[in-house]
């Protein structure tokens, strides 16, 4: 009460206090505030502060009554630490300079003062002081969070939080990297430049500040900062199953992840032309393992030019299911080589209730199910823009969905090969570990014995002699 009353006497305007007291009382208050308090003898006149009304108990009954009544009105309004602090709100305080004016200031009142400054703060300060959420608090060191964050924000969250032009083009280059740095800054005292180094990115402090300023100006991005803070809180509370910092250290300098001959052989069986470059496959594995964009990979595989980056983006959403399975299996093998017991990829999930009603620039990634996507994709070549119109969403959303749930859009002849390439690992397990016969596998898969036999031979499986059974000698 004392702290809040002091802040009101010193900072609130007459218009702020109009609902609190009758005009005659407010007029008397203004006369009192216009007359500076008498300086106590122990204070030198040259040290007199302009906010002495915050340091001395009011010498006027009207001032005391208004200060107490307004303080009670605010404290009883409920959730003073929320996004909207009921008026009156102090007008000249900055969250970083909140001090105990007129007595010890409680955490709830401190949160209220922080939130009351939100519209006047720089975007970076709004992230640091967490004014976009109800649990604002002073920033602290949170550098350990960098180990839980990919260099480029998880694709589903980048889709949802990245601002775009009306044409659908991204409003900022490398927005996924900038958003990841911003997530590290939430509630954090680290300078922006230090945050970019921790994240292993090459974006500048100016790039980060510019994106955040653009986000706060756009009406469709009203709650982007809110979600970034929620993601940071989720990581701080629950951690991440992936140590991205370790992966960046291990794999950024690695020049190759996949034998190009294996990729070319798969391409020969799946496509009528080998249009998907093996280099893109190397980039896909690097991207999936580290969460870093391919232009940060080893120079031997990095996408150095704008054209290469565009081609890689096209590759990532035109990938076929069998290709995705091969790349995922290879990435898992790389982790196994280093004794890393982690999933290849991961993304945090926030409860739907905390996201309900928030205004974000991108669509909900899960608003379209995999079955809807697969049904909408035509056989053969297709346009992603036409597919987006068919699904009534954005091209960026469709590209994300195709990368997450690859669709077999190849011609019928190659679809059969595609199915074989997808299932051959399971067939090999049944044959080698479960000791099933080729004919039993063919019957189970509703295909021919020749198809099963040829697929296993191409996969390098050593076939048993005809007529041999586990535990039974071969007939002579």
């Amino acid at each position: 009460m004392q702290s809040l009353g002091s802040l009101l006497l010193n900072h609130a305007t007459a218009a702020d206090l109009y609902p609190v007291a009758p005009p005659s009382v407010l007029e008397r208050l203004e006369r009192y505030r216009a007359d500076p308090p008498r300086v106590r003898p122990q204070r030198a006149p040259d040290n007199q502060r302009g906010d002495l009304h915050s340091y001395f108990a009011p010498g006027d009954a009207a001032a005391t009554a208004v200060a107490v009544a307004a303080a009670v009105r605010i404290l009883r309004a409920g959730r003073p630490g929320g996004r909207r602090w009921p008026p009156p709100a102090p007008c000249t305080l900055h969250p970083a300079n909140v001090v105990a004016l007129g007595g010890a200031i409680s955490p709830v009142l401190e949160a209220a003062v922080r939130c009351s400054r939100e519209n006047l703060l720089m975007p970076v300060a709004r992230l640091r002081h967490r004014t976009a959420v109800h649990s604002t608090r002073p920033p602290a060191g949170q550098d350990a969070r960098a180990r839980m964050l990919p260099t480029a924000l998880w694709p589903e969250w980048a889709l949802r939080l990245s601002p775009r032009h009306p044409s659908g083009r991204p409003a900022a280059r490398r927005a996924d990297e900038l958003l990841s740095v911003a997530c590290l800054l939430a509630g954090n005292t680290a300078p922006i430049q230090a945050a970019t180094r921790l994240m292993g990115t090459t974006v500048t402090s100016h790039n980060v500040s510019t994106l955040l300023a653009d986000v706060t100006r756009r009406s469709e991005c009203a709650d982007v900062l809110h979600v970034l803070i929620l993601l940071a809180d989720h990581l701080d509370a629950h951690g991440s199953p992936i140590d991205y910092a370790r992966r960046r250290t291990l794999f950024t300098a690695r020049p190759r992840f996949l034998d190009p001959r294996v990729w070319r052989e798969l391409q020969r069986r799946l496509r009528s032309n080998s249009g998907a470059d093996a280099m893109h496959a190397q980039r896909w594995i690097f991207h999936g393992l580290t969460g870093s964009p391919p232009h940060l990979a080893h120079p031997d595989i990095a996408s150095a030019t704008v054209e290469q980056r565009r081609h890689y983006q096209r590759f990532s959403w035109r990938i076929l299911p069998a290709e995705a399975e091969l790349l995922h299996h290879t990435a898992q093998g790389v982790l196994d080589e280093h004794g890393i017991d982690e999933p290849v990829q991961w993304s945090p999930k926030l409860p739907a209730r905390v996201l309900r009603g928030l205004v974000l620039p991108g669509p909900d990634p899960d608003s379209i199910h995999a079955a809807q996507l697969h049904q909408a994709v035509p056989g053969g070549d297709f346009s992603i823009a036409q597919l987006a119109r068919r699904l009534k969403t954005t091209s960026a959303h469709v590209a994300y969905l195709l990368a997450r749930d690859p669709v077999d859009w190849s011609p019928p002849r190659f679809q059969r090969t595609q199915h074989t390439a997808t299932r051959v690992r399971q067939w090999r397990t049944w044959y080698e570990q479960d000791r099933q016969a080729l004919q039993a596998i063919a019957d189970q898969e509703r295909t021919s014995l020749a198809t099963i036999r040829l697929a296993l031979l191409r996969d390098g499986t050593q076939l048993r002699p005809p007529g041999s059974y586990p535990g039974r000698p071969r007939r002579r």
Side-chain angles (χ1 to χ4, degrees):
M1 286 282 292
Q2 183 181 7
S3 299
L4 186 52
S6 300
L7 292 172
L8 293 165
L9 281 179
N10 197 66
H11 299 290
T13 66
D16 291 332
L17 298 171
Y18 176 76
V20 177
S24 58
V25 177
L26 294 180
E27 184 179 352
R28 179 169 166 177
L29 167 64
E30 291 308 316
R31 288 199 301 269
Y32 167 76
R33 295 205 298 181
D35 184 19
R38 180 171 55 84
V39 180
R40 292 181 179 178
Q42 63 266 31
R43 286 186 69 94
D46 57 349
N47 291 334
Q48 181 174 340
R49 295 170 57 103
D51 59 352
L52 286 178
H53 288 299
S54 295
Y55 280 84
F56 298 104
D60 183 89
T64 302
V66 172
V68 172
V72 170
R73 184 185 183 94
I74 291 174
L75 292 176
R76 293 184 63 185
R79 298 206 310 180
R83 298 186 61 201
R84 293 195 178 114
W85 191 39
C91 300
T92 60
L93 298 178
H94 187 277
N97 300 323
V98 174
V99 293
L101 298 177
I105 188 168
S106 70
V108 175
L109 179 55
E110 183 178 351
V113 173
R114 291 178 186 278
C115 288
S116 72
R117 315 311 310 131
E118 182 177 14
N119 293 334
L120 302 178
L121 294 179
M122 296 291 289
V124 174
R126 293 171 63 181
L127 272 178
R128 294 192 192 283
H129 295 277
R130 302 164 45 86
T131 59
V133 297
H134 299 321
S135 57
T136 180
R137 57 178 178 262
Q142 299 288 353
D143 291 353
R145 193 187 303 147
R147 304 191 70 87
M148 311 176 211
L149 280 166
T151 302
L153 199 67
W154 304 279
E156 67 176 274
W157 291 108
L159 169 70
R160 203 159 191 186
L161 302 181
S162 297
R164 295 183 177 273
H165 295 300
S167 63
R169 292 186 302 104
R173 291 183 60 247
R174 301 169 68 178
D176 49 358
E177 295 175 68
L178 300 174
L179 288 169
S180 199
V181 174
C183 190
L184 178 57
L185 293 174
N188 198 351
T189 55
I192 302 179
Q193 189 173 7
T196 59
R197 286 198 302 270
L198 286 169
M199 297 304 301
T201 182
T202 56
V203 297
T204 66
S205 302
H206 176 73
N207 297 146
V208 177
S209 299
T210 300
L211 174 72
L212 293 176
D214 188 35
V215 162
T216 54
R217 283 194 298 264
R218 292 171 174 262
S219 59
E220 72 274 16
C221 300
D223 294 306
V224 168
L225 300 187
H226 187 143
V227 174
L228 287 172
I229 295 171
L230 292 179
L231 288 172
D233 287 350
H234 181 87
L235 294 177
D236 295 343
H238 304 288
S240 165
I242 294 178
D243 186 342
Y244 289 100
R246 174 173 60 182
R247 293 193 184 187
R248 287 192 284 266
T249 301
L250 286 174
F251 303 134
T252 299
R254 182 163 173 159
R256 195 174 83 167
F257 297 90
L258 173 70
D259 185 345
R261 292 174 298 179
V262 175
W263 180 256
R264 285 194 293 267
E265 172 60 22
L266 182 65
Q267 290 291 289
R268 186 183 65 80
R269 290 188 284 129
L270 295 183
R271 296 177 183 262
S272 57
N273 55 59
S274 57
D277 190 349
M279 200 62 69
H280 290 323
Q282 310 282 4
R283 293 162 183 158
W284 189 99
I285 297 174
F286 169 79
H287 189 189
L289 283 174
T290 65
S292 301
H295 64 261
L296 297 177
H298 187 278
D300 286 356
I301 61 175
S303 51
T305 66
V306 175
E307 184 177 6
Q308 287 175 344
R309 295 176 189 177
R310 187 172 65 250
H311 287 170
Y312 172 74
Q313 291 173 352
R314 179 179 172 84
F315 167 83
S316 65
W317 60 260
R318 289 185 66 86
I319 193 169
L320 295 170
E323 295 170 341
E325 183 178 349
L326 171 66
L327 296 180
H328 188 277
H329 179 78
T330 304
Q332 187 63 62
V334 172
L335 293 179
D336 294 341
E337 289 174 14
H338 292 81
I340 299 176
D341 184 16
E342 295 175 353
V344 174
Q345 294 173 308
W346 173 82
S347 180
K349 302 293 183 183
L350 297 180
R353 56 180 175 78
V354 303
L355 299 174
R356 192 174 297 117
L358 297 185
V359 179
L360 301 173
D364 179 0
D366 297 325
S367 60
I368 296 176
H369 301 297
Q372 296 174 267
L373 174 71
H374 287 226
Q375 186 177 5
V377 174
D381 205 359
F382 63 93
S383 163
I384 195 169
Q386 292 176 350
L387 186 56
R389 286 194 293 270
R390 181 177 302 178
L391 292 171
K392 298 180 181 179
T393 187
T394 64
S395 296
H397 189 189
V398 172
Y400 164 79
L401 293 173
L402 290 170
R404 185 187 68 178
D405 298 304
V407 174
D408 187 3
W409 48 267
S410 53
R413 176 168 65 93
F414 290 93
Q415 285 185 11
R416 290 190 295 271
T417 311
Q418 169 89 320
H419 174 76
T420 300
T422 303
R423 297 292 296 165
V424 68
R425 295 189 187 280
Q426 180 62 63
W427 299 346
R428 183 169 184 170
T429 300
W430 287 340
Y431 184 75
E432 292 183 339
Q433 298 181 15
D434 298 344
R435 310 298 288 178
Q436 291 190 27
L438 295 180
Q439 187 61 59
I441 297 174
D443 294 342
Q444 188 172 341
E445 292 290 287
R446 297 181 180 179
T447 187
S448 66
L449 175 64
T451 298
I452 301 295
R453 182 182 180 84
L454 182 60
L456 290 177
L457 286 173
R458 286 183 173 179
D459 195 53
T461 304
Q462 185 69 32
L463 297 185
R464 298 188 293 268
S468 65
Y469 297 92
R472 181 184 300 177
R474 184 183 176 187
R475 294 180 182 178
R476 295 187 179 183

